[in-house]
Amino acid sequence: MMYVTRRECFNAAHRVYNPKWSDKKNNEVFGACANPNWHGHNYELFVTVKGNMNKDTGFVVDLRALSVLIKKQIIDKVDHKNFNLDVPFLKGQMSSTENIIVAFWEQLEKPIAKLGCKLHSIKLQETENNVAEYFGGK
Ligand code: NI
C-alpha cells in the first residue's frame, strides 16, 4: 500500500464561539478566536490517499486529477470565504479546525474513491503551531 499527499492552500475567516454562552464565557474559553468581528487564517490542507501503484503509470493517483477534485469539492467553496457564514456544509457547526476537517472528509471521501484510490487522512494546518489530522470514523 502506498500513500500520496496533495497540499492545497486557501484563506478563510471565522469566529470560534458558542452561541449558547455569554460573551464573557466565550472570551474565557476561546480568547481572541471569539472576536465578534471575525479573524482569518492562511490554511494549508493536506489530503492523503492510499492505494496500489498503477502498472502503466507508476502512480497511486493522478495528482492533477486529485488537485482538480479538491479544488472543486473544497477550495472553491471555502477560499476567501467566512466559515461561519458562507460555507453550506458547515452551517450551524463550530468552525474549529476539527469540525472543518470532518466536514471536508464528507465532501471528499466518495469523489476520491472514483479516482481509484481511498481517502486516508485529512490534515489542516490553521497556524504554524496548530494542526489537526483526521483519519475518518469516530
Ligand atoms: Ni481562528
Side-chain angles (χ1 to χ4, degrees):
M1 186 70 70
M2 181 68 76
Y3 298 78
V4 177
T5 301
R6 174 73 192 179
R7 183 183 78 129
E8 301 287 346
C9 300
F10 63 93
N11 59 65
H14 74 161
R15 178 189 181 200
V16 183
Y17 75 110
N18 188 327
K20 294 180 199 145
W21 294 349
S22 67
D23 286 348
K24 184 170 176 285
K25 182 161 183 187
N26 272 301
N27 280 329
E28 281 166 11
V29 175
F30 300 117
C33 292
N35 174 28
N37 290 330
W38 319 106
H39 68 278
H41 298 283
N42 292 317
Y43 288 94
E44 283 184 58
L45 171 66
F46 298 85
V47 176
T48 300
V49 302
K50 61 185 171 186
N52 296 312
M53 282 101 79
N54 179 294
K55 286 196 177 67
D56 294 325
T57 63
F59 295 160
V60 169
V61 66
D62 178 345
L63 281 170
R64 289 174 304 177
L66 181 59
S67 175
V68 167
L69 188 156
I70 297 167
K71 283 199 176 81
K72 178 168 173 264
Q73 293 298 111
I74 304 289
I75 307 300
D76 288 351
K77 297 172 184 171
V78 302
D79 189 32
H80 288 69
K81 299 280 169 59
N82 181 315
F83 275 124
N84 299 67
L85 303 178
D86 300 327
V87 182
F89 62 75
L90 273 168
K91 208 163 183 74
Q93 294 194 56
M94 303 280 292
S95 58
S96 65
T97 311
E98 293 90 328
N99 276 346
I100 291 167
I101 52 175
V102 170
F104 283 6
W105 185 280
E106 287 161 11
Q107 297 297 308
L108 289 174
E109 187 179 22
K110 281 183 188 158
I112 280 176
K114 288 182 187 156
L115 296 180
C117 55
K118 199 164 187 279
L119 180 57
H120 175 67
S121 68
I122 298 176
K123 187 166 82 172
L124 187 62
Q125 181 168 308
E126 188 182 67
T127 70
E128 281 181 13
N129 300 321
N130 296 342
V131 183
E133 189 165 13
Y134 182 57
F135 295 87
K138 303 260 174 189

